[in-house]
Structure formats: structure tokens, C-alpha cells
Amino acid sequence: ECKIALAEYGGQVPFSFSCLRKPNIQAPNVYYYMVMHPVFDVREYIQAEELFREEVLPKGGSMVIFNGELFKLRSGGVGGYYPDFFFPKLAKARQSLMPQVHSAYYFRIFRGPPVGALYKKYPGPWQVLKAVQGETGVGGSSNAFEVLWEGDQQEPPKQDFVFQTLRASS
């Protein structure tokens, strides 16, 4: 993947590519890391946590996880998406990494009825939104959203809470 990206981009770039499986140790002046879509294999979450713990954190750097489907990782424990009993290494990585993760942008549609969404744009609050027909929204569309709930917690509200909030507004 790295070789393809370099070939597409045209060679020299002001950044470097590496893979999570065997990441290149970066120069001491590299403080920003981006992990792209670590959801193909649960080991990618573990490798992202190792990269954060071993290289990013000691430098005081930052790591962005793009399109990481972190809701799967947040919901550990007994009945989570990846139960701790079956994925003990992932559980350890989750317990280490997730308390330090802040969602920068999140938008998930709930098809309802009523139709709504869970939304966050850092540094703002989490919001449960309800689709409102007949009003002019962003870009002149005929749909807009009404804010039903806001919360400042680090983790997103549970799916059941979003459904209950949407249903209570009907």
C-alpha cells in the first residue's frame, strides 16, 4: 500500500508512509502520526496502541486515527463488539488507548423512525439530532436537523440512548 501511494503521489513527499505491522521508527522531530482505517483486522487496533505507547506518547506527539470505527473498540467487556474474553490483547490495548482518545468528527445516521443522527465536531459536544423536513438546511437542502440532546462526555452516548431520545421526540 505504501509503495502504491508513493508511486501515485510521484515520489518525494513531505511525509512518510509506514505500515502498522512493522512501522518505521520515525525521526525524533516527527510528532504527528496518522493511522488510516485500522479496522480490517483486530490486530491493527493493537498495533495502533503499540505505536501510540512506544513512539507517539514518549515524544509528546499526537496521533489521528482516521475512519477507525472506534465504537467497536469502545464497547469491550463481556457483551461488547470484541468481547474481552475472546480478545484479551485487544482488551488491554483498549484499556490503554481509549481513555486518551478524543473524537474529532463523528456523524452516524439513525434511520428511525424518526430519522436522526449522532454528531460531534471537536471541541463541541456530542449531539443527538432529529431530521426536520420542510426547513432549509445546509447547502439549501429541504431537510435540516433539530438538536434534541447535547453532552460533553468523552465517549459517545450509547446507541440505545440515541434511539430513546429520538423516539421520545416523536
Side-chain angles (χ1 to χ4, degrees), residues 97-168:
L97 183 63
M98 292 313 294
Q100 301 176 71
V101 170
H102 297 277
S103 293
Y105 186 81
Y106 188 93
F107 188 75
R108 180 176 176 197
I109 297 287
F110 290 83
R111 303 219 182 275
V115 173
L118 178 59
Y119 173 77
K120 179 177 177 72
K121 180 180 172 187
Y122 186 83
W126 288 97
Q127 296 178 327
V128 175
L129 308 172
K130 177 183 174 184
V132 180
Q133 294 184 2
E135 295 185 23
T136 303
V138 176
S141 68
S142 61
N143 293 313
F145 287 100
E146 172 188 352
V147 177
L148 299 178
W149 174 87
E150 290 186 343
D152 288 323
Q153 70 272 17
Q154 185 175 357
E155 292 189 13
K158 302 287 186 202
Q159 180 174 302
D160 290 344
F161 174 80
V162 175
F163 280 129
Q164 289 172 0
T165 304
L166 287 167
R167 286 187 193 118

Side-chain angles (χ1 to χ4, degrees), residues 10-157:
Q12 288 297 104
V13 292
F15 49 86
S16 67
F17 289 100
S18 185
C19 65
L20 282 172
R21 195 170 6 98
K22 291 184 180 179
N24 298 333
I25 301 301
Q26 299 298 320
N29 63 341
V30 174
Y31 296 98
Y32 303 106
Y33 298 77
M34 181 171 281
V35 176
M36 302 299 292
H37 200 61
V39 298
F40 178 72
D41 183 336
V42 296
R43 291 175 291 191
E44 292 174 336
Y45 288 124
I46 296 166
Q47 293 158 348
E49 186 275 335
E50 288 171 352
L51 175 67
F52 183 77
R53 180 174 29 87
E54 295 171 6
E55 187 159 341
V56 179
L57 199 56
K59 292 181 180 182
S62 297
M63 184 168 82
V64 173
I65 300 174
F66 182 77
N67 204 19
E69 298 182 15
L70 295 177
F71 68 92
K72 293 178 180 179
L73 197 54
R74 280 190 175 100
S75 66
V78 177
Y81 196 91
Y82 297 116
D84 293 353
F85 179 76
F86 296 112
F87 300 95
K89 286 184 181 179
L90 184 61
K92 185 177 177 184
R94 176 180 54 81
Q95 292 163 357
S96 169
L97 183 63
M98 292 313 294
Q100 301 176 71
V101 170
H102 297 277
S103 293
Y105 186 81
Y106 188 93
F107 188 75
R108 180 176 176 197
I109 297 287
F110 290 83
R111 303 219 182 275
V115 173
L118 178 59
Y119 173 77
K120 179 177 177 72
K121 180 180 172 187
Y122 186 83
W126 288 97
Q127 296 178 327
V128 175
L129 308 172
K130 177 183 174 184
V132 180
Q133 294 184 2
E135 295 185 23
T136 303
V138 176
S141 68
S142 61
N143 293 313
F145 287 100
E146 172 188 352
V147 177
L148 299 178
W149 174 87
E150 290 186 343
D152 288 323
Q153 70 272 17
Q154 185 175 357
E155 292 189 13

